């Protein structure tokens, strides 16, 4: 009877671990207040991460403020690794959607930012006060050339500009990396000279959901949550509190099983 009990407990443990293996992989996202207001006095916007690590509450009240919810989990991988990103956001009625940024490098000292301010609306719920939308953002259009509102940039030769330069198509940048392992994007001279002071850069997160802009077109409060990243091999990754490795979990379950058996013997 005791052997049967042990085998049953082990079977339950293995089933639990198998279920974890089949689920989406949880990855860490960072909540970052990136830039202060243009006026030099209003300071930074606010961004507060949920306790479950799968979302943030953001508040951008002045032009120039930017916040982001980003991850370095894909740094060093090619841009084409990312198939699409989804998230749900909630806002008071009116105003723009958050948008996606990817900071990329060709490994030869050239950096750029891909920005999408469009995206597909998958679901929408609207009442008298709030709008809630589920959005999906792709990194390449059907033509590979701005089909989803993307503009592809590289810095000017002196590194002074991130928002102007040569427009690139998907075939030019699909093999560029989302930063690199331990890499950061540089601070341009334009950022250093801006009247809002020192930006919170360089950045280490290659993939980020952005809120805020240099103009007064991305202001207000947004909740951004249920973040999902799907890669080109159809693997799913969700933002959240990263669990202990499976080996540690197995060890914990094993110790618990040993303790339970000892208690059984004492009884």
């Amino acid at each position: 009877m005791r052997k049967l009990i042990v085998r049953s407990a082990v079977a339950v443990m293995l089933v639990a671990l198998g279920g974890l293996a089949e689920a989406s992989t949880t990855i860490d996202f960072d909540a970052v207040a990136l830039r202060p207001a243009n006026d030099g006095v209003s300071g930074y916007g606010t961004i507060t991460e949920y306790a479950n690590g799968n979302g943030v509450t953001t508040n951008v009240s002045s032009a120039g403020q930017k916040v982001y919810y980003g991850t370095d989990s894909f740094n060093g991988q090619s841009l084409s690794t990312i198939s699409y990103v989804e998230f749900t956001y909630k806002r008071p009625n009116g105003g723009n959607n958050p948008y996606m940024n990817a900071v990329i490098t060709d490994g030869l000292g050239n950096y750029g930012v891909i920005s999408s301010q469009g995206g597909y609306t998958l679901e929408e719920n609207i009442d008298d006060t709030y709008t809630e939308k589920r959005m999906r953002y792709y990194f390449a259009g059907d033509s590979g050339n701005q089909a989803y509102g993307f503009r592809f940039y590289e810095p000017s030769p002196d590194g002074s500009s991130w928002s102007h330069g040569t427009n690139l198509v998907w075939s030019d940048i699909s093999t560029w990396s989302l930063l690199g392992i331990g890499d950061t994007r540089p601070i341009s001279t334009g950022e250093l000279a801006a009247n809002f002071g020192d930006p919170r850069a360089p950045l280490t997160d290659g993939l980020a959901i952005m809120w805020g802009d240099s103009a007064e077109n991305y202001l207000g409060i947004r909740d951004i949550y249920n973040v999902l990243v799907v890669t080109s091999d159809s693997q799913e990754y969700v933002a959240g509190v990263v669990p202990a490795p499976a080996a540690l979990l197995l060890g914990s379950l094993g110790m618990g099983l040993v303790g339970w058996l000892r208690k059984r013997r004492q009884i």
Side-chain angles (χ1 to χ4, degrees), residues 9 14 23 30 35 46 49 51 62 68 74 80 88 100 102 127-128 163 177 191 206 208 223 225 233 236 250 252 263:
L14 292 176
D30 302 314
R35 286 189 358 185
T46 61
E49 189 170 25
S62 301
Y68 78 77
F74 303 99
S80 59
T88 301
M100 291 298 309
D127 61 24
D128 293 337
S163 59
S177 297
E191 287 173 325
D223 273 270
Y225 48 93
D233 58 358
E236 296 185 354
L250 179 60
S252 298
K263 186 175 181 180

Side-chain angles (χ1 to χ4, degrees), residues 118-251:
Y120 288 117
T121 299
L122 300 177
E123 297 179 13
E124 186 175 57
N125 299 300
I126 302 175
D127 61 24
D128 293 337
T129 307
Y130 285 94
T131 295
E132 184 181 58
K133 288 186 178 183
R134 181 74 179 171
M135 306 293 297
R136 177 181 291 182
Y137 295 83
Y138 287 89
F139 281 90
D142 294 333
S143 67
N145 185 12
Q146 303 186 39
Y148 292 104
F150 283 94
R151 297 191 66 191
F152 304 137
Y153 296 120
E154 62 181 353
S156 54
D158 63 359
S160 63
S161 175
W162 277 79
S163 59
H164 300 87
T166 304
N167 284 323
L168 304 178
V169 298
W170 179 253
S171 59
D172 295 323
I173 62 169
S174 61
T175 59
W176 286 33
S177 297
L178 286 156
L179 288 178
I181 305 301
D183 197 10
T184 59
R185 89 150 169 83
I187 302 176
S188 71
T189 55
E191 287 173 325
L192 291 176
N195 63 0
F196 53 69
D198 186 23
R200 294 185 180 180
L203 308 181
T204 58
D205 295 307
L207 184 67
I209 304 168
M210 307 292 298
W211 181 242
D213 199 6
S214 56
E216 292 185 357
N217 54 347
Y218 285 85
L219 303 182
I221 298 172
R222 299 289 183 273
D223 273 270
I224 300 167
Y225 48 93
N226 292 343
V227 180
L228 169 69
V229 181
V230 176
T231 54
S232 55
D233 58 358
S234 300
Q235 297 298 305
E236 296 185 354
Y237 299 84
V238 295
V241 177
V242 178
L248 294 179
L249 179 58
L250 179 60

